[in-house]
């Protein structure tokens, strides 16, 4: 209850009124006491100090006077009005100057002595001088005046019981209490009005703050005043608007980052300074072949502890730490870096799958080595035969003719290699354009059959063509398709021992046409089946060179079919030999 600002304002107003009335009352009562005290001593001074005739009468004894106290009493009776003596509240006493005994007084009820000796009375008795010291804390006022009359010492003692002052103070106190009660009522009412004017805007502001805390940034508080609370309300509205804009931007950035992490091909795993996972994307789980739950049982030590300790990465001086490992069939490159080297809040690990990159680099090196090897052999042969002809000009004509024939064959072989490399280069660079036309697929098969039939007969092969009936037309580059078929048939003739069987079978479905070329030749070992479309790759290298092969034919055929959005595959079939299947879209590749 006391935590409420409304109640605090009420209590402050009440305390303010109480303190004010208390101070005012104390000041009034003290002023009244001081006024009456000053008035008493002023009145006494007027009588006993300034009225010289009265003082002379008091100290001058008459002739034949036997009772000085009675004479003084008679003189004082004449001055009762001036002294303010009323016989009740204020009285005078005539005391013996030696013993302090009461000899006479205006108080008929007084006994032989006073109740206690006041400081002023003691001064008069002991020191023989006037006792007129004032005391605001005392509940009386008095004056003790020592005199000597007829050789006898007396003390005129005036005592005021301050009943009038007490009555006046009582009335003042009652007035103060009544004023205090009235002031309290007024202060409570005013505090309620003041608190309403102050608390209501604050309550509205509090409700607005709660809405903002709950995520409602669209509610704007109404400004009802232009004072400090109004300024605060306007500042709060501006803050809420800016906060809403900032949160939207943060959400947008977080969404972008989440989408980026979710769809990026590289794996990302983030850890806090304790090594717990705070973020991971699907790519990381797929590369590492394990689930990586956020805040779960998997930690940095479990995943990358063997590369480097977490403390080492947190305090890493360089940009990142690289490490390459083999995980199953994958080659993974890890990049480990801290979020903030000074604060050491966590570690970020990026996982790259460099398997294909390493394979491509290996293939590039092998390709360069193969090209060098393939070109070096014919160049060496040409140089050898040319040097022989140069050094022996008198060789028999038939031998010279044979040497020149070898030189021409090796030159043709280098020309074929260069032409095939240029063809593959155009395919790789995307500069090779297809000349698409619509033609009967059966005609291309028949032309290729007739082109290789004589070569097959020369080797004693049995060549057959089936399934050409009712074949649809095909939209493709006719010369390129014929080049692929001729390459497949040439390989079948080369790698099939003499007297073999080569069968061409074709067909079509709703969307595609296909051709299979099957032979019973030397076949392809299982370990080499995945590599037959690699450049310069041969199963039987010696026989390939003897037959003039470059090892690029199937690579070129694969690129041509890929440009047509088709497929060229090796068919798994029981028995010896090789079967290649070519499939093409009837409608051709997409424009």
């Amino acid at each position: 209850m006391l935590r409420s600002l409304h109640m605090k304002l009420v209590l402050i107003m009440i305390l303010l009124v109480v303190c004010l009335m208390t101070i005012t009352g104390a000041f009034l009562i003290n002023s009244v006491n001081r006024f009456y005290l000053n008035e008493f001593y002023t009145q006494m001074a007027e009588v006993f100090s300034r009225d010289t005739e009265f003082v002379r009468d008091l100290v001058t004894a008459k002739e034949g006077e036997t009772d000085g106290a009675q004479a003084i009493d008679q003189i004082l009776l004449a001055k009762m009005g001036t002294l303010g003596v009323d016989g009740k509240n204020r009285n005078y006493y005539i005391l013996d100057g030696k013993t302090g005994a009461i000899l006479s007084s205006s108080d008929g009820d007084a006994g032989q002595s006073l109740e206690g000796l006041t400081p002023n009375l003691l001064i008069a008795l002991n020191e023989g001088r006037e006792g007129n010291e004032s005391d605001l804390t005392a509940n009386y006022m008095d004056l003790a005046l020592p005199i000597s009359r007829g050789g006898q010492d007396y003390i005129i003692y005036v005592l005021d019981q301050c009943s009038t002052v007490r009555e006046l103070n009582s009335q003042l106190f009652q007035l103060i209490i009544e004023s205090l009660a009235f002031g309290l009522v007024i202060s409570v009412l005013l505090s309620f009005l003041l608190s309403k004017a102050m608390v209501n805007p604050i309550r509205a502001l509090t409700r607005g703050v709660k809405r903002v805390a709950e995520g409602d940034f669209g509610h704007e508080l109404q400004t009802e005043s232009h004072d400090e609370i109004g300024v605060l309300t306007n500042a709060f509205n501006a803050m809420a608007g800016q906060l809403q804009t900032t949160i939207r931007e943060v959400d947008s950035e977080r969404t972008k980052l989440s989408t980026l992490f979710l769809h990026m091909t590289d794996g990302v795993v983030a850890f806090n300074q304790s090594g717990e996972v705070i973020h991971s994307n699907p790519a990381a789980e797929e590369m590492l072949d394990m689930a990586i739950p956020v805040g779960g049982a998997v930690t940095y030590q479990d995943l990358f502890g063997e590369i480097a300790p977490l403390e080492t990465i947190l305090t890493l001086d360089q940009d990142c730490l690289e490490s390459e490992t083999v995980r199953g069939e994958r080659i993974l490159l890890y990049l480990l870096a801290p979020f903030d080297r000074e604060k050491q809040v966590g570690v970020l690990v990026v996982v790259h799958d460099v398997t294909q990159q390493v394979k491509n680099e290996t293939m590039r090196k092998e390709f360069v080595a193969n090209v060098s090897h393939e070109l070096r052999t014919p160049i060496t042969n040409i140089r050898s035969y040319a040097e022989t002809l140069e050094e022996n000009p008198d060789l028999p004509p038939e031998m010279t003719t044979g040497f020149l024939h070898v030189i021409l064959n090796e030159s043709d072989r280098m020309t074929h290699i260069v032409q095939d490399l240029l063809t593959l280069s155009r395919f790789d660079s995307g500069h090779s354009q297809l000349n698409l036309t619509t033609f009967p697929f059966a005609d291309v098969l028949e032309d290729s059959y007739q082109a290789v039939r004589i070569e097959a007969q020369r080797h004693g092969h049995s060549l057959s063509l089936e399934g050409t009936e009712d074949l649809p037309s095909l939209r493709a580059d006719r010369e390129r398709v014929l080049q692929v078929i001729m390459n497949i048939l040439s390989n079948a003739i080369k790698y099939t021992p003499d007297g073999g069987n080569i069968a061409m079978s074709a067909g079509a479905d709703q969307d595609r046409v296909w051709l299979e070329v099957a032979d019973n030749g030397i076949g392809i070992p299982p370990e080499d089946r995945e590599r037959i479309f690699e450049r310069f790759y041969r199963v039987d290298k010696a026989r390939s060179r003897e037959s003039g092969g470059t090892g690029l034919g199937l690579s070129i055929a694969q690129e041509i079919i890929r440009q047509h959005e088709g497929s060229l595959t090796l068919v798994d079939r029981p028995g010896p030999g090789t079967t290649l299947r070519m499939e093409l879209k009837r409608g051709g590749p997409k424009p």
Side-chain angles (χ1 to χ4, degrees), residues 218-431:
H219 180 72
E220 183 175 352
L221 299 178
Q222 298 298 323
T223 304
E224 299 179 355
S225 62
H226 300 284
D227 54 7
E228 287 79 0
I229 295 179
V231 174
L232 178 61
T233 303
N234 291 330
F236 173 79
N237 289 332
M239 181 199 69
Q242 183 63 36
L243 184 61
Q244 183 179 16
T245 302
T246 303
I247 290 179
R248 285 177 179 173
E249 293 176 354
V250 171
D251 287 340
S252 177
E253 292 299 322
R254 183 173 57 187
T255 302
K256 291 178 184 177
L257 289 177
S258 298
T259 305
L260 176 63
F261 286 146
L262 183 64
H263 296 95
M264 68 186 301
T265 56
D266 291 334
V268 177
V269 186
F271 304 89
N272 60 16
Q273 57 186 355
S274 301
E276 298 175 349
V277 178
I278 58 177
H279 181 82
S280 66
N281 65 346
E285 296 182 346
E286 191 268 335
M287 291 180 187
L288 299 176
D289 193 23
M290 63 182 300
I292 308 177
V294 175
V298 179
T299 63
Y300 172 88
Q301 183 64 31
D302 300 329
L303 295 175
F304 310 109
E306 60 183 11
I307 298 176
L310 179 64
E311 294 75 13
T312 302
I313 306 301
L314 287 172
T315 57
L316 196 64
D317 294 332
Q318 60 196 52
D319 291 337
C320 65
L321 178 67
E322 295 186 10
S323 177
E324 187 175 296
T325 61
V326 177
R327 197 178 185 96
E329 297 181 355
R330 295 178 183 268
I331 301 174
L332 301 180
L333 176 65
Y334 301 123
L335 302 178
L336 299 87
F339 292 160
D340 191 323
R341 292 181 178 86
E342 296 180 357
K343 298 181 180 179
Q344 299 183 3
V345 295
V347 170
L348 182 69
V349 181
V350 179
V351 185
H352 296 287
D353 187 349
V354 295
T355 305
Q356 191 61 40
Q357 179 180 345
V358 172
K359 284 185 177 179
N360 292 339
E361 182 66 18
T362 303
M363 290 176 62
R364 185 188 65 81
K365 293 179 180 178
E366 291 180 355
F367 177 76
V368 172
N370 288 331
V371 170
S372 301
H373 180 73
E374 293 294 334
L375 292 177
R376 184 173 62 249
T377 301
I379 289 175
T380 301
N381 291 336
I382 291 174
R383 182 178 181 84
S384 297
Y385 282 100
E387 288 177 349
T388 302
L389 291 174
E390 182 183 17
E391 294 172 357
N392 300 281
D394 299 330
L395 287 175
E398 61 274 10
M399 184 176 294
T400 302
T401 302
F403 283 4
L404 293 175
H405 182 70
V406 171
I407 291 174
L408 290 175
N409 287 340
E410 294 298 327
S411 298
D412 290 339
R413 182 179 174 189
M414 285 194 298
T415 301
H416 291 157
I417 291 174
V418 172
Q419 288 177 344
D420 288 344
L421 289 174
L422 290 175
T423 301
L424 288 173
S425 177
R426 286 194 296 269
F427 284 141
D428 292 339
S429 63
H431 294 157

Side-chain angles (χ1 to χ4, degrees), residues 362-363 366 370 524 526-539 554-555:
T362 303
M363 290 176 62
E366 291 180 355
N370 288 331
I524 300 174
E527 62 273 13
D528 295 327
R529 297 177 71 87
E530 294 182 356
R531 304 188 60 187
I532 64 169
F533 295 107
E534 293 182 9
R535 300 171 186 184
F536 292 109
Y537 184 78
R538 301 183 183 91
V539 176
L554 285 180
S555 299

Side-chain angles (χ1 to χ4, degrees), residues 107-124:
D107 185 7
D109 298 330
Q112 295 299 317
S113 62
L114 296 171
E115 296 180 0
L117 298 178
T118 65
N120 286 334
L121 189 55
L122 291 174
I123 289 173

Side-chain angles (χ1 to χ4, degrees), residues 423-424 427-428 434 480-481 483-485 487-488 491 529-535 551-570 580-584:
T423 301
L424 288 173
F427 284 141
D428 292 339
L434 298 178
R480 293 291 189 186
V481 173
Q483 179 182 356
V484 172
I485 298 174
N487 183 279
I488 297 173
N491 286 340
R529 297 177 71 87
E530 294 182 356
R531 304 188 60 187
I532 64 169
F533 295 107
E534 293 182 9
R535 300 171 186 184
L552 298 173
L554 285 180
S555 299
I556 295 174
Q558 181 75 289
E559 293 294 336
I560 293 174
I561 296 302
R562 186 176 295 141
Q563 277 198 337
H564 282 82
E565 299 178 5
S567 63
L568 181 62
T569 56
L570 185 64
L580 284 172
R581 180 181 178 90
M582 179 188 73
E583 292 187 4
L584 294 171

Side-chain angles (χ1 to χ4, degrees), residues 54 58 68-79 92 94 104:
F54 172 69
L58 288 176
Q70 188 65 32
I72 294 173
D73 182 55
Q74 294 298 321
I75 296 171
L76 292 176
L77 283 176
K79 285 288 187 178
Y92 64 82
I94 301 170
S104 179

